[in-house]
């Protein structure tokens, strides 16, 4: 993990297309602005994990549905 110190208003550049800007620091909270191409999804970690969990559940349901369809066709 790369650890950087930045002050309010300073930026971090990732690749050629992503810019993180420290907007505000108040106590133990940091507000960050993110500039990135629209095709790059940006999520808070807890939202990202929820999306992954839902996607995994959907795949399992699809596999179960496929198995049921095969069983019905085979009869």
């Amino acid at each position: 993990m790369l650890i950087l110190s930045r002050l309010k208003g300073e930026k971090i550049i990732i690749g050629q297309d992503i810019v993180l800007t420290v907007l505000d620091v108040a106590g133990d909270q940091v507000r960050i602005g993110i500039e990135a191409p629209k095709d790059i999804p940006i999520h808070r970690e807890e939202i990202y994990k929820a999306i992954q969990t839902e996607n995994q559940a959907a795949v399992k349901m699809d596999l179960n549905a496929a198995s049921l369809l095969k069983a019905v066709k085979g009869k």
Side-chain angles (χ1 to χ4, degrees), residues 12-21 33-37 40-42:
I12 297 170
I13 312 294
I14 300 174
Q16 295 179 8
D17 298 333
I18 302 172
V19 179
L20 306 178
T21 304
I34 303 168
E35 297 174 50
I40 296 178
I42 300 172

Side-chain angles (χ1 to χ4, degrees), residues 6-63:
R6 300 278 74 199
L7 299 172
K8 182 177 175 179
E10 293 184 329
K11 300 178 183 219
I12 297 170
I13 312 294
I14 300 174
Q16 295 179 8
D17 298 333
I18 302 172
V19 179
L20 306 178
T21 304
V22 178
L23 300 175
D24 192 27
V25 180
D28 62 349
Q29 285 192 332
V30 177
R31 289 185 36 181
I32 299 171
I34 303 168
E35 297 174 50
K38 292 187 185 285
D39 63 324
I40 296 178
I42 300 172
H43 302 287
R44 295 183 318 232
E45 179 183 28
E46 62 273 16
I47 300 298
Y48 178 81
K49 287 181 179 180
I51 291 168
Q52 295 302 311
T53 299
E54 289 296 320
N55 286 344
Q56 290 170 357
V59 167
K60 287 179 186 175
M61 287 194 311
D62 284 348
L63 292 175

